[in-house]
Amino acid sequence: MSESTHPKRVVIVDADNPLQEIHGEFFWREDHERILSAERQTSYWDGYNEGRTAAERGQPTTVLVRSARPGLIRRATVRMLVLLAIVAFAIDVFLPALTHIV
């Protein structure tokens, strides 16, 4: 990593009381982003290598697929709605024909 051009010693004061200094470890935003980027890359490759070695050891991967089967009440409700739609259609079609016959 390249050395930063920002000053090393910076005095930071409290916003409410400017006569009081705030002590601690602070980073410049650019340095912070550079450090985070390097750590992300390191963490990514650590996880990648760990997964690859686990796969090479032959640890089985278990995949469980379950299908959602509708319950008895749900199936009965759907069948009743279909039957109701068929009866309504039949009445709509045949009732005018029956009134002409009588």
Side-chain angles (χ1 to χ4, degrees), residues 1-8 27-32 34-35:
M1 291 195 268
S2 65
E3 197 61 32
S4 175
T5 59
H6 298 296
K8 296 288 183 193
F27 296 96
W28 292 96
R29 181 170 300 210
E30 295 84 9
D31 296 340
H32 182 258
R34 189 184 72 243
I35 292 168

Side-chain angles (χ1 to χ4, degrees), residues 4 10 18 20 23 32 35 37 40 59 61-62 71 74 93 102:
S4 175
V10 177
Q20 180 181 1
H23 298 279
H32 182 258
I35 292 168
S37 177
R40 280 188 195 112
Q59 292 179 341
T61 302
T62 304
R74 185 173 170 192
V93 170
V102 177

